[in-house]
Amino acid sequence: MIDISLLRNDIGSLEKILKHRGFDLDVNFFNSLEEERKRIQIKTQELQQERNDLSKQVGVLKSQGKDASDVLNKVSNISAQSKEFELQLALIQEKLNNFLLLIPNVPHESVPLGPDETSNELVKEVGTLPEFDFEVKDHVDLGAPLGLDFDTAAKVSGSRFVFMKNDIARLHRAIGQFMIDTHTENHGYTEYYTPYLVNGDSLLGTGQLPKFGDDLFVTQKNDDESLYLIPTSEVSLTNSVRDEIIDAKHLPIRMTAHTPCFRSEAGSYGKDTRGMIRQHQFDKVEMVQITKPELSYEALEEMLSHAENILKALDLPYRVMTLSSGDMGFGAAKTYDIEVWLPSQEQYREISSISNCEDFQARRLKARFKNQEGKNTLVHTLNGSGLAVGRTLVAIMENNQKADGSINIPSALQPYMKNKTTISI
């Protein structure tokens, strides 16, 4: 969540910048809560002072051997009033906290302002688009005879799931293994295996709750607690530092994990219903960094290069976009999208989002470190796909297809494929 001092010190400026995120800040509601909070705090302080004064009178009366019962009754009444005000103040604080939980992060000054993806800015294009002298197929038609099976998945689970078998399943596994090996051996990340089910506090900490509850799959653990299937291992990895004061010498922390991800896609019905582009279950290799504030934008550029290195090694053409204020995710202060070329669609499609959340998640998580002055300071958190495995499979299939329906395997993946160079019927 954002720092409440931003609202208290210059709510007008904050209201304007958040409009570029498509968010209407309810200034009147916040101001009314703040006025009530101040009123209660002032009254509480006045009662405290009055109680202190009366307590002194009690001491004087008793030292003089006089009856202090009337004054003691007044002290008792003030204590009862104070408790009532404490309850009112707790309720106000809860409303303020709930209000803050729904406010998106403030965009970094380098983020292009605009309402949606039309305002995104091109950073660069990398690679040569493939040319074909035959009719290009999409991954669904290419994969059908090779082991990509959507019909069986629909029978077993419903729409937006997939079965894979034979070399297609092996290629999918190889992609994830290659990514993990690259990030751990070349990029300095530590590999993690994390739970696929997390509690509500974890999703609150990284910003999926309360705003995006409809996009999550939830299970009932018992009458008192629900567990959620992770939408990304960003949730489990980032929450590993929740309620921690990290030794500064351990920063930055670089974490990676290969996990399935589960998303109900509640707001995406009718979009990308064909194939593997948008599914309820997909694999992703996630990168997370926990850094000192002054180093987080250096880390953002570093993470972008790490994701790019995967695409370069796989010889896939791609482009990098800086997302506009209106197209960024809820918790991001700045986001780069990497989009890979899909020949069947003749367009670039997102394969990775890499974001600096600054201290937005850390404030929810209470994730801190001691700075040079010994003061507990919020860390900055960053996350990014390194990459989405299913979409990488789609890109490899489509960019490396041959006229006979076979698929060339990128050289970087061949050691994971028993040195096969092609997948064919």
Side-chain angles (χ1 to χ4, degrees):
M1 65 177 69
I2 65 172
D3 188 343
I4 196 171
S5 65
L6 295 175
L7 291 98
R8 289 173 174 163
N9 296 335
D10 193 357
I11 195 169
S13 294
L14 183 64
E15 179 188 20
K16 290 178 182 178
I17 192 65
L18 290 177
K19 281 188 180 296
H20 292 292
R21 298 217 58 178
F23 183 83
D24 291 323
L25 184 66
D26 193 337
V27 175
N28 291 334
F29 180 72
F30 176 78
N31 286 340
S32 66
L33 286 177
E34 275 291 278
E35 288 174 6
E36 184 66 6
R37 178 187 65 83
K38 291 175 183 177
R39 184 189 70 79
I40 293 172
Q41 286 182 332
I42 290 171
K43 188 62 178 176
T44 300
Q45 290 168 1
E46 290 174 348
L47 287 173
Q48 180 64 45
Q49 183 60 52
E50 186 177 354
R51 182 168 56 187
N52 291 342
D53 292 342
L54 289 172
S55 296
K56 291 178 182 179
Q57 290 182 33
V58 170
V60 171
L61 289 171
K62 286 186 175 181
S63 68
Q64 296 174 349
K66 296 180 179 179
D67 182 12
S69 57
D70 288 344
V71 180
L72 286 170
N73 286 335
K74 290 180 181 179
V75 170
S76 178
N77 289 335
I78 289 174
S79 296
Q81 291 180 58
S82 295
K83 288 181 180 179
E84 177 62 30
F85 280 124
E86 285 176 7
L87 293 174
Q88 291 180 28
L89 185 60
L91 182 61
I92 293 294
Q93 294 289 6
E94 182 181 1
K95 289 181 178 179
L96 282 170
N97 188 64
N98 291 337
F99 181 76
L100 288 171
L101 287 174
L102 295 174
I103 300 174
N105 204 353
V106 178
H108 187 261
E109 60 185 10
S110 65
V111 170
L113 300 180
D116 51 37
E117 68 275 3
T118 60
S119 299
N120 295 346
E121 290 184 356
L122 175 66
V123 177
K124 57 183 170 181
E125 293 182 351
V126 179
T128 303
L129 302 186
E131 296 181 359
F132 302 93
D133 57 5
F134 56 89
E135 185 175 352
V136 171
K137 294 180 179 179
D138 72 359
H139 69 283
V140 178
D141 292 336
L142 274 170
L146 300 175
L148 201 62
D149 184 353
F150 294 96
D151 292 336
T152 301
K155 177 177 67 176
V156 172
S157 302
S159 61
R160 298 198 179 187
F161 292 92
V162 65
F163 258 75
M164 300 181 214
K165 62 183 177 181
N166 298 329
D167 282 340
I168 285 291
R170 188 181 186 95
L171 180 59
H172 184 266
R173 172 161 56 91
I175 292 167
Q177 287 181 300
F178 167 67
M179 291 176 185
I180 281 286
D181 287 348
T182 301
H183 292 319
T184 56
E185 295 171 13
N186 301 340
H187 299 152
Y189 291 81
T190 299
E191 181 178 359
Y192 283 74
Y193 174 85
T194 81
Y196 301 162
L197 289 162
V198 295
N199 54 35
D201 286 343
S202 296
L203 290 155
L204 186 74
T206 46
Q208 283 79 15
L209 289 178
K211 187 173 177 61
F212 300 106
D214 290 343
D215 288 326
L216 302 169
F217 286 105
V218 60
T219 67
Q220 198 69 31
K221 181 181 178 183
N222 51 48
D223 292 338
D224 300 321
E225 184 179 7
S226 297
L227 289 178
Y228 299 79
L229 289 163
I230 56 171
T232 163
S233 59
E234 168 205 341
V235 176
S236 42
L237 290 172
T238 307
N239 271 276
S240 67
V241 299
R242 173 156 49 101
D243 296 321
E244 298 286 337
I245 299 176
I246 304 163
D247 192 326
K249 68 182 181 183
H250 294 146
L251 297 175
I253 298 172
R254 297 183 179 92
M255 299 178 277
T256 187
H258 177 193
T259 69
C261 306
F262 305 91
R263 301 182 186 180
S264 73
E265 300 286 0
S268 303
Y269 287 104
K271 298 178 182 178
D272 298 317
T273 55
R274 179 174 169 84
M276 293 180 64
I277 297 299
R278 195 183 298 272
Q279 296 208 296
H280 293 313
Q281 175 187 314
F282 60 94
D283 276 32
K284 184 151 67 82
V285 172
E286 187 74 2
M287 305 178 294
V288 165
Q289 288 203 30
I290 312 296
T291 76
K292 295 178 181 178
E294 65 270 19
L295 298 177
S296 65
Y297 279 94
E298 179 181 319
L300 180 65
E301 300 299 324
E302 179 184 70
M303 291 176 69
L304 174 61
S305 71
H306 294 162
E308 285 187 82
N309 287 343
I310 300 294
L311 291 168
K312 289 175 181 175
L314 298 176
D315 197 26
L316 291 172
Y318 67 92
R319 70 181 185 183
V320 177
M321 307 292 291
T322 303
L323 297 194
S324 71
S325 55
D327 198 32
M328 288 194 304
F330 178 76
K334 183 174 183 177
T335 298
Y336 289 119
D337 263 13
I338 303 177
E339 300 174 347
V340 69
W341 178 255
L342 294 187
S344 68
Q345 299 184 18
E346 296 187 330
Q347 64 175 320
Y348 291 97
R349 296 301 304 269
E350 178 200 335
I351 198 169
S352 174
S353 282
I354 301 161
S355 298
N356 186 355
C357 297
E358 297 184 355
D359 61 10
F360 185 84
Q361 292 179 327
R363 186 169 285 104
R364 291 168 173 242
L365 295 164
K366 296 181 175 63
R368 297 152 292 170
F369 75 103
K370 285 193 181 295
N371 63 19
Q372 291 182 337
E373 290 75 37
K375 180 182 178 182
N376 289 342
T377 304
L378 293 171
V379 297
H380 279 196
T381 64
L382 302 95
N383 64 80
S385 308
L387 306 160
V389 177
R391 292 193 181 191
T392 305
L393 174 66
V394 169
I396 288 172
M397 292 173 65
E398 292 198 7
N399 283 279
N400 292 280
Q401 62 182 292
K402 298 166 69 175
D404 62 0
S406 62
I407 298 166
N408 288 329
I409 300 171
S411 58
L413 299 178
Q414 291 172 16
Y416 300 88
M417 297 290 294
K418 294 185 177 180
N419 293 316
K420 278 190 172 184
T421 58
T422 60
I423 294 176
S424 57
I425 301 172

